[in-house]
Structure formats: C-alpha cells, structure tokens
Amino acid sequence: MKIGYPCINSTLKCRSSSTFRLKNYSEERLIPTITNNLNCLEKILKFNVDHRILFFRITSDLIPFGSHPVMDFNWQEYFKAKFQAIGNYIKKNFIRISMHPGQYTVLNSINDKVFKNSLNELIYHTDILDLLELNRTAKIITHVGGVYNDKANSIRRFIKRYNALDKRIKQYYVIENDDKSFNISDCLAISEQTGIPVIFDVYHHECNTTTEMVQDVLKKVIKTWKPEDGLPIIHYSSEHLIKGKCRHADSININHFKNFIESSQNYDFDIMIEIKNKESSALQAINAILNDERLNIDS
DNA sequence: TCACGTCAAGCAGAT
DNA sequence: ATCTGCTTGACGTGA
C-alpha cells in the first residue's frame, strides 16, 4: 500500500504547472517554463521520497498546451534526457505515478471536435509516461464522460471508442466513478466488456451511490486489476465541513480515514488522497496507519 | 504597486 | 439563461 497526493506540493516554493497563456505562446517562453516545471517535479518527488510518500499524480499542466494545435515544438525530443532522469529516479525509489486529464477530456462526447481533442489529450499524457519509461502500473485516469440524456448509448459509445484506442494508450488508461453521471456500477459494467481497470473513488461513491455495500463494491473493483497493472488504486476524500454536499474537504478527517482503512483490511491497494491541503493530508494519513502491515509490503 | 478580471477546452445540475 | 464545480491559483492589465 502506497499513499499519495495530487499535483501540487504546498510546502515547496515551486510549481510544476506554471501559468502559461495561449496568447503568450512562443518557443522562447515555452522552453524555460517546461524546464522550470520539470525541475520542480524533480524536487517534489525528492520531497516525497524523504517523507515516505511513494504515490504521486503528475499535473496535466506539466507541458503547457501539450495537446493543443498551437504546439509546434518537439518537446518530447528536446526534454528526452530530462524525462529519462526523472523516470530513473521514480523507478529507483519505487514511486507509483498517475495522471488525471481534466474535465475537457470526454472520450464519449457527441461532439466530434471534443472527441478529437480528447484523443490528443490522451496521447499527450501517454507521451509523458512513455518518456519517463514507466511500465503499465503508471495510470492515466478519466471519468466515463457525458450522459447526453441517454446513458446506455453513451456507455456504448465509450466502449466503442475505448476499444479503438491505440495499445500504447490502453496500457495506461483506467476509468473512475464520478460524483453525478457514471457511478461505480456503470464503471464495472464497462470494465466487464472491455477489461479496463476501475478506480474506486470512495467519496464520489457517497455522492453518486449504488445500493451495494462499499465492501462488496471494493471486492469487484479490485478484480478489474490484473497483476501487470499494479495494485488497484483507490481515490479517497471526505466531505467539506462547511460546504458539505459532495465538495472535497480542506483537510483530512483522520477518524474517517482510519475507519475506511480498518474496514478494508482484507485488501491491498494504493490510495490517492484528494484533499485540498495536499501533502499535509497524505502525511497525516500515513502517520495514522503506520502500524498497518500493508504499508510495509514492497510491491 | 495593487486589485481584480481572466485564463484552451465540457458537462451536469442548481439558481 | 446564467452560474458553479470539477480545478485552481497566478498572470497581466489598468487604475
């Protein structure tokens, strides 16, 4: 079991996702920005290793406009050695890596342009993991997409498009239940037909629930992961104390977390802590379950 | 110097 | 019809 957090480290003074606007696009600006982002990513990974955090989501903004038509620079070639060095560090320290393309990646969109943009976004994320020379335990996660008032057809469209994806993308690609459109049963049904591994988001499940017990769901989700895909990944959050209803918390509720960990002790998996204060919550989570033997199993 | 409007992109649900 | 959340804070313009 590894515990991690997404994209941003709030202790370090750097960001691996510097703001970069379309109208400022130029090669002269692009190269130093990407250099800065990669250097920062390296620092974050070192911080994580020093703090025993061995799971991390790399930001989709690592290469600004990485999938946009404006991009005319061969960043893959230019930064190849740097990516390789970072990848070596990741492998040497057994860090698990994931990526999560944003809300604009909608593989099952009924708009053809959105669909094409989504493909480009998946290729861009795949390029990064390939450049890092990671294996298929690194994962690219999206939700299923839009419903368009016809869930059955939208699921069919997702499956058709998923099946047509290049193998290079499929090796990394997994889906996750979302908080309002496609619940965990929908994802499991898609997995049955495609073999795609499913990430279980415990908190989305509370918002977009099914009648099944969490433990039963967990069991089915874990079965969708093959050994070569690595340990199953679980996304964890809890409700915002003030804002409530399906809004991510600002800080971790340790008792809630411990309850989840204790209630799932028959299974091993990696946990992404999706809480606003980032590495702080991940560290608290690790410290709260130091005695759990799953934390000490190398995988 | 500082405040605040804006930033590539989609979708669903609330107001 | 428009705004908000997902995300997501930081840049750049204008006062």
Side-chain angles (χ1 to χ4, degrees), chain A residues 15-21 24 26-40 61-65 79:
Chain A
R15 296 176 59 82
S16 55
S17 55
S18 325
T19 300
F20 195 92
R21 293 196 177 158
N24 295 331
S26 73
E27 204 171 296
E28 293 68 46
R29 274 182 181 248
L30 188 68
I31 293 172
T33 300
I34 297 176
T35 304
N36 169 68
N37 287 352
L38 291 174
N39 286 338
C40 181
D61 296 328
L62 193 67
I63 310 297
F65 302 105
F79 290 101

Side-chain angles (χ1 to χ4, degrees), chain A residues 35 42 44 70-71 75 89 94 104 117 233 243 253:
Chain A
T35 304
E42 230 172 3
I44 293 174
V70 76
M71 174 61 76
W75 57 272
Y89 184 79
F94 305 101
Y104 305 107
N117 288 345
I233 296 174
K243 295 179 186 165
N253 178 336

Side-chain angles (χ1 to χ4, degrees), chain A residues 60 121 227:
Chain A
S60 296
E121 193 71 354

Side-chain angles (χ1 to χ4, degrees), chain A residues 44-213:
Chain A
I44 293 174
L45 292 171
K46 289 193 170 127
F47 174 99
N48 291 349
V49 169
D50 288 344
H51 292 82
R52 220 179 148 181
I53 301 174
L54 297 177
F55 186 20
F56 186 66
R57 181 190 299 165
I58 296 176
T59 174
S60 296
D61 296 328
L62 193 67
I63 310 297
F65 302 105
S67 72
H68 192 277
V70 76
M71 174 61 76
D72 57 2
F73 178 66
N74 190 345
W75 57 272
Q76 292 93 335
E77 191 57 39
Y78 189 92
F79 290 101
K80 193 174 183 142
K82 184 69 172 173
F83 273 106
Q84 203 172 32
I86 296 173
N88 284 338
Y89 184 79
I90 289 168
K91 287 180 279 187
K92 194 179 90 188
N93 291 286
F94 305 101
I95 302 170
R96 181 91 184 262
I97 293 293
S98 69
M99 297 190 80
H100 195 354
Q103 61 267 46
Y104 305 107
T105 304
V106 187
L107 190 67
N108 75 347
S109 178
I110 49 176
N111 177 330
D112 204 47
K113 185 152 192 302
V114 174
F115 167 53
K116 292 208 166 82
N117 288 345
S118 301
L119 276 184
N120 286 332
E121 193 71 354
L122 290 175
I123 291 168
Y124 155 67
H125 285 80
T126 299
D127 279 348
I128 290 183
L129 297 181
D130 277 354
L131 283 164
L132 292 169
E133 298 177 351
L134 303 179
N135 61 22
R136 61 185 297 145
T137 64
K139 290 297 166 204
I140 296 170
I141 304 143
T142 75
H143 298 299
V144 177
V147 174
Y148 312 100
N149 297 313
D150 185 350
K151 192 185 251 189
N153 255 322
S154 297
I155 287 180
R156 249 175 258 135
R157 206 165 41 252
F158 178 90
I159 291 174
K160 192 171 156 222
R161 290 179 178 174
Y162 170 80
N163 284 333
L165 288 177
D166 195 294
K167 264 193 345 211
R168 196 169 77 91
I169 298 173
K170 272 189 187 159
Q171 64 175 327
Y172 300 127
Y173 195 25
V174 300
I175 52 171
E176 177 194 351
N177 58 311
D178 68 77
D179 58 345
K180 42 181 188 260
S181 302
F182 294 94
N183 64 29
I184 195 66
S185 300
D186 300 323
C187 293
L188 288 167
I190 291 170
S191 177
E192 252 176 53
Q193 294 189 55
T194 57
I196 190 170
V198 174
I199 287 187
F200 183 38
D201 187 308
V202 180
Y203 187 52
H204 286 160
H205 185 67
E206 282 178 27
C207 308
N208 187 2
T209 195
T210 63
T211 51
E212 276 183 296
M213 300 291 291

